[in-house]
Amino acid sequence: MPELFHFFDEENESIYVARLVWRRRLLLGAHRGRLVVATPRRIAALRGKFYAIED
């Protein structure tokens, strides 16, 4: 995982720059940064993908 990456927030359908701040095996923590301009087509392509979060 690179230090800087794009994060898709499916709830508000926005893409943000994120910075990796910690990693523990397969878990990671990140700080959300600035909003990235995205086309409706790009948002549609990201919508509905499967993401899992360990409880």
Side-chain angles (χ1 to χ4, degrees):
M1 179 64 114
E3 183 181 345
L4 289 176
F5 58 95
H6 288 167
F7 167 77
F8 178 59
D9 183 340
E10 196 161 1
E11 188 173 326
N12 65 19
E13 297 191 334
S14 298
I15 301 173
Y16 298 92
V17 172
R19 179 180 298 277
L20 183 67
V21 292
W22 61 265
R23 182 186 311 213
R24 192 174 315 124
R25 302 178 88 185
L26 296 177
L27 300 175
L28 58 88
H31 285 261
R32 189 177 77 184
R34 66 176 174 78
L35 186 65
V36 175
V37 177
T39 65
R41 184 179 196 168
R42 187 168 183 199
I43 296 294
L46 293 169
R47 194 180 295 129
K49 303 292 183 191
F50 177 78
Y51 299 93
I53 299 173
E54 183 178 300
D55 289 338

